[in-house]
Amino acid sequence: MAIVSPQQQPQIHRFPQFKYVDGVRWLSSLSTFSRLAVIALFDSDSDSSSIEIHSLTQKPLDIAPHSTWTSPSRVSSLKTSQLYQNPLVFASTYTGSLHVLSVEPMEATLDSELSVPEKMLHDRPISCVDVMDGGGECLTVSEDGRVNLVSIGESGLNYSRIFDSNGLVSYTAVKWASPTEFATGGCGFSLQWWDQRKPGGAVSQFKADWASGIVHGIDIHPSRKHTCLAGGSFGTVFAWDLRSQQQPIILSGLEGSKTSNPSPCESEVWEVHYDPYIKSGNLGGMSSSQILPAMICSEDGILTSIEQGKQPVDLLAEPCAINGFDIDRHHPSEVICNLEWESIAILSRS
């Protein structure tokens, strides 16, 4: 395992929460001087869940809650977006409800709420949501085999069912690729590609024949929408290029597989994102088949930067699981993570 050199060692700040952290996301702010983060929390003593808006202060780095919203159920997936310069928080729950919170960015307060009640979208916990960049359209998936589209309208939230497998297929991850296309993932390291212009089901599918496992996270780079990056069981990270339907590019995991990259972890990869901070040579001159640098977090407490054909670089190693993370799109050197031992870590790589 490669270790970051002292010159590259990120600054790490940990903030105990004394509650289970179910999700963290950066939130867009209208001010270049204020940084906001959204945190989903679960208090096991009172069996209560909440979403908090925190502001970050510098020198010294600290976080402070500004606004709290009480969730009717524990949060299962958390995403943020911005619509007409209005920051939005999308939160799904284990009882199947979806909540869209509007944030007043100057005061860092929660402004309003729109909701879809439980059992309307899914009969089981919502596994994952994803929100279209710059828009108010949200995808929801669940192990119940349903894929839904929820959009913000003048009268509230409008929702429609894109597909229902009636439980024959379960979905654990989803990611927009374009205003009409998206990818889903699930059991057996399966991936599906959907095009809303072609209703009735997925237009392309990938089913791994080299292992059994579950896809926990998907990312799609805006300049490489033909390539779907996925992470899941057994420390596995792979890419599926739609132009080469059944030939995945293995980046890590799967002992005995034909990959030159050592596996940075051996457990579940909970989240995977392309890493805009890593400049991999001449990106403009890279082959479109080469996978761009990425970052993953895992059940065995590793936050790692991985790059095709290179040694992985550990950014954070914890004695507990790192259940999720988010890279600030405006400040890609900044990473926020939620740790299983009731704390948040913020890394600065600059």
Side-chain angles (χ1 to χ4, degrees):
M1 175 62 61
I3 304 299
V4 186
S5 66
Q7 302 95 294
Q8 298 172 302
Q9 201 64 262
Q11 294 182 341
I12 302 171
H13 304 267
R14 295 175 179 83
F15 303 98
Q17 298 299 302
F18 308 106
K19 297 178 183 178
Y20 195 90
V21 184
D22 283 326
V24 291
R25 289 288 180 261
W26 293 111
L27 187 65
S28 297
S29 173
L30 295 180
S31 171
T32 57
F33 301 102
S34 65
R35 306 280 303 284
L36 301 177
V38 182
I39 304 172
L41 299 167
F42 173 70
D43 188 341
S44 58
D45 293 332
S46 61
D47 195 30
S48 62
S49 299
S50 63
I51 290 177
E52 296 183 356
I53 307 297
H54 286 239
S55 64
L56 278 69
T57 58
Q58 301 291 335
K59 299 179 181 180
L61 182 66
D62 199 5
I63 61 175
H66 275 255
S67 183
T68 300
W69 174 79
T70 301
S71 174
S73 176
R74 191 166 181 176
V75 173
S76 61
S77 184
L78 184 70
K79 293 292 168 62
T80 59
S81 181
Q82 187 166 321
L83 183 63
Y84 308 123
Q85 295 190 331
N86 183 34
L88 299 174
V89 178
F90 290 73
S92 65
T93 70
Y94 282 93
T95 57
S97 61
L98 177 72
H99 307 271
V100 182
L101 311 176
S102 176
V103 179
E104 204 295 310
M106 300 305 294
E107 300 294 330
T109 57
L110 292 164
D111 204 18
S112 62
E113 175 205 352
L114 297 171
S115 299
V116 179
E118 58 185 72
K119 304 300 182 182
M120 299 297 291
L121 297 173
H122 298 279
D123 287 331
R124 301 184 64 180
I126 296 178
S127 302
C128 185
V129 301
D130 191 49
V131 188
M132 188 182 300
D133 283 343
E137 293 194 312
C138 174
L139 294 164
T140 72
V141 297
S142 169
E143 292 185 5
D144 63 7
R146 295 177 182 174
V147 181
N148 295 306
L149 175 66
V150 181
S151 58
I152 299 176
E154 293 183 359
S155 59
L157 296 181
N158 304 313
Y159 51 92
S160 60
R161 181 127 327 130
I162 295 177
F163 185 73
D164 189 350
S165 74
N166 295 311
L168 297 178
V169 180
S170 64
Y171 303 106
T172 53
V174 63
K175 181 67 179 180
W176 282 107
S178 74
T180 58
E181 299 164 296
F182 62 92
T184 56
C187 297
F189 285 128
S190 63
L191 293 171
Q192 301 83 27
W193 190 267
W194 306 75
D195 189 332
Q196 294 188 82
R197 296 165 297 186
K198 302 175 181 178
V203 296
S204 186
Q205 301 190 50
F206 168 77
K207 177 73 173 179
D209 58 3
W210 21 266
S212 60
I214 300 174
V215 171
H216 298 302
I218 297 174
D219 200 11
I220 298 173
H221 197 277
S223 68
R224 306 275 184 95
K225 78 168 190 176
H226 58 270
T227 303
C228 182
L229 183 68
S233 305
F234 319 122
T236 302
V237 182
F238 69 98
W240 175 44
D241 191 327
L242 272 72
R243 301 167 302 179
S244 180
Q245 291 294 312
Q246 300 302 322
Q247 296 298 321
I249 302 169
I250 308 297
L251 300 180
S252 78
L254 295 180
E255 184 177 355
S257 64
K258 296 179 180 179
T259 172
S260 59
N261 285 19
S263 181
C265 64
E266 298 179 354
S267 63
E268 307 297 302
V269 173
W270 290 124
E271 196 154 4
V272 57
H273 295 294
Y274 283 108
D275 189 357
Y277 181 74
I278 302 297
K279 306 302 181 184
S280 180
N282 179 16
L283 292 180
M286 288 176 61
S287 165
S288 63
S289 63
Q290 187 170 348
I291 307 305
L292 298 175
M295 187 183 295
I296 64 171
C297 69
S298 71
E299 175 67 23
D300 48 12
I302 303 296
L303 181 74
T304 303
S305 176
I306 59 174
E307 193 170 351
Q308 190 176 7
K310 295 186 178 181
Q311 291 282 334
V313 177
D314 282 356
L315 300 174
L316 181 63
E318 293 290 313
C320 64
I322 302 177
N323 291 327
F325 72 98
D326 193 26
I327 303 172
D328 191 331
R329 65 172 59 194
H330 301 296
H331 306 275
S333 62
E334 304 292 319
V335 184
I336 188 169
C337 312
N338 52 302
L339 312 182
E340 188 173 43
W341 287 359
E342 300 185 345
S343 61
I344 292 167
I346 296 179
L347 285 73
S348 178
R349 295 180 283 174
S350 56

